[in-house]
Structures are given as structure tokens and as C-alpha cells.
Amino acid sequence: MKAVRQSVKFNQQYLDKDALKVVNTIIKAGFEAYLVGGCVRDLLLGLKPKDFDIATNAKPEQVHKLFKRSRLIGRRFRLVHVMFSARKFIEVATFRSGNVQTAKTGVIVRDNCYGSIEDDVVRRDFNINALYYDIKKQEVIDYVGGLIDIADKEIHIIGDAKLRFEQDPVRMIRAVRFQTKLNFNLSNEVK
């Protein structure tokens, strides 16, 4: 899987200083860390993101040790919330691999298998949400055509749509929400 890298300088007013601190702290500790998902999509569209998520190769316990005001959460997939106030936290997720445990219905019940950024990207839901931002190089990293989908204003799911919707039915609701919020078109496989 080959990554496309696009240089981008985002509006500094839209970048969350606490999210940048979290990314820098993780990088300084010797790990990879990127802004990921909807915040990157929104920044590319000139929108102010409502929250910032981070993806890293550091395990949740390693991230937790880096931040005094953090907590481990999640059973299906472990995450770290780095707390900045009673209402503000930055979510940090370790890169996921493709190994998941599913129920007979196909719904994912356990997902604590870690991998690389290339593994993580195919575990995300839609191409437009599978974009990573390298704050040091000021580059968006795209493995699945998310930059093209944003330019074309289309929503494509990553992988087989039927399987992905079976694994997590909430993805159907998210697709419609993104269609409405962004004024994008649902691709044929999503419809």
C-alpha cells in the first residue's frame, strides 16, 4: 500500500494547541503520532474541527505513562484520554491491526490487536476519515484516496461495504451524517 503525501499548511487558528502538545510529547518520547480522522478532513475543508484525535504506534499503557492527567478507557479497543479540563480531552488510539474478534452476527466484539499505520488505515470507516496529518512535515498522509474523495465530494467506505456495515452498523448512520454535514454524495457501494 503506497501513501500519497500532500503538503498542507492549515489555518493555525483551527489547530488545537493541546492536541499539538499531545502529538509532540508522544513524538519526543520516540514514537510516531499523527492527527487523524475527522479533524484532518475538516481542516482540509476549511472547517474548524469539533475534536482532535491522535493515532500512534505507542501502546495505550505507554501513552498513559506520558501524561499525568490521562486515563485508559475502552474494552473492545483500549484508548487513552488525555485530560485538559473537566470537559476537554484528546483521544489517543494505538494503530490497530486487521485482527478482530467478531460475534456470530459479524459485529466486532474485541479489537485490541495493534499494528502499523498501514494496518490502521484499513480499519477506519470511510476514505475521508482515513487521513493522517504529520505535524512536523506538515503533510497529509493518504493511503486510500481520501484526498480524491474530498475533492470529488464523495463518501466511499474502506473495504467491502456489506461486511463493514455488518461489523459496525453505526457506520450507516455516520455515512448519512457526513452526507448531510458535508454536503457530499454517498458512493454506490454505500447507498
Side-chain angles (χ1 to χ4, degrees), residues 106-123:
V107 174
I108 297 172
V109 293
R110 189 160 175 78
D111 194 11
N112 279 323
C113 298
Y114 306 120
S116 65
I117 189 172
E118 293 86 358
D119 297 324
D120 189 67
V121 72
V122 296
R123 295 282 300 119

Side-chain angles (χ1 to χ4, degrees), residues 140-160:
V140 172
I141 306 167
D142 178 10
Y143 288 91
V144 292
L147 291 167
I148 292 168
D149 286 356
I150 288 173
D152 293 344
K153 296 187 175 224
E154 285 193 335
I155 300 169
H156 289 270
I157 197 161
I158 297 171
D160 177 74

